[in-house]
């Protein structure tokens, strides 16, 4: 990655319209089922990485009473396996801890072993299996971490 310029998408800065458009396209390309809307993106807390102005990874948090939910974790395939998801989830965990909230929930497809391993590796615990009729892959696992 030596010649690439790394840009960090941080929760204290609102993303540009161009960045939001990229994220919405990535969401539709790499996730199935409940796609993000621009309103949800505006309401969420965004962490991400860009190389040369192109979004290559992001995590979107949503705030609920007494907890946060990781809504989306997307890493462009060419950048998978480099630890970006783990680094972004850990950034989310540090940020949530500073908000004086101690719980984060998320879901992962029961067949997405890299995501499951990463989530367990950073300390998430399995809560239960969930069946989601509206998803292409209906078998999901619910996770929770106490910070």
């Amino acid at each position: 990655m030596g010649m690439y310029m790394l840009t960090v998408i941080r929760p204290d800065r609102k993303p540009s319209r161009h960045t939001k458009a990229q994220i919405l396209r990535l969401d539709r390309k790499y996730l199935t089922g409940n796609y993000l809307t621009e309103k949800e993106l505006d309401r969420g807390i965004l962490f991400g990485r860009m190389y040369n102005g192109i979004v290559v990874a992001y995590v979107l948090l949503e705030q609920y009473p007494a907890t946060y939910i990781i809504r989306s974790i997307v890493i462009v395939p060419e950048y998978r396996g480099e630890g970006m998801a783990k680094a972004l989830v850990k950034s989310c965990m540090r940020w949530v801890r500073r908000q004086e909230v101690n719980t984060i929930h998320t879901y992962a497809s029961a067949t997405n072993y890299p995501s499951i391993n990463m989530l367990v590796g950073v300390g998430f615990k399995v809560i239960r299996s969930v069946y989601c009729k509206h998803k292409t892959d209906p078998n999901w696992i619910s996770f929770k971490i106490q910070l």
Side-chain angles (χ1 to χ4, degrees):
M1 297 288 159
M3 296 179 64
Y4 289 96
M5 186 178 107
L6 171 68
T7 305
V8 178
I9 302 169
R10 297 182 4 200
D12 58 342
R13 297 185 190 147
K14 288 291 179 192
S16 69
R17 282 197 331 233
H18 178 70
T19 299
K20 288 195 303 189
Q22 287 184 58
I23 288 169
L24 292 171
R25 277 194 304 276
L26 289 175
D27 190 72
R28 280 161 182 73
K29 186 171 183 178
Y30 295 112
L31 296 179
T32 58
N34 293 332
Y35 298 122
L36 279 175
T37 64
E38 190 166 347
K39 187 175 181 180
E40 290 169 324
L41 184 55
D42 287 340
R43 202 173 51 229
I45 299 115
L46 188 64
F47 298 79
R49 298 284 185 272
M50 298 173 77
Y51 283 113
N52 287 344
I54 306 297
V55 176
V56 297
Y58 72 89
V59 172
L60 184 71
L61 276 178
E62 290 181 350
Q63 183 177 6
Y64 291 88
T67 193
Y68 283 86
I69 295 177
I70 295 177
R71 165 74 157 73
S72 302
I73 301 173
V74 174
I75 311 298
V76 172
E78 303 87 77
Y79 295 89
R80 292 180 184 163
E82 296 181 16
M84 279 194 202
K86 186 176 194 176
L88 289 170
V89 168
K90 284 184 169 186
S91 292
C92 290
M93 292 165 61
R94 286 189 298 273
W95 188 86
V96 167
R97 200 175 287 126
R98 286 194 304 270
Q99 308 313 305
E100 299 182 8
V101 174
N102 63 1
T103 307
I104 302 174
H105 290 85
T106 194
Y107 295 88
S109 165
T111 59
N112 189 342
Y113 303 115
S115 287
I116 293 167
N117 290 335
M118 182 273 299
L119 291 167
V120 170
V122 297
F124 278 83
K125 305 289 184 224
V126 173
I127 299 174
R128 66 183 175 277
S129 293
V130 179
Y131 180 79
C132 299
K133 191 166 129 178
H134 66 280
K135 300 266 188 187
T136 305
D137 177 359
N139 298 307
W140 289 74
I141 299 173
S142 174
F143 293 90
K144 176 181 175 181
I145 190 168
Q146 292 293 130
L147 303 173

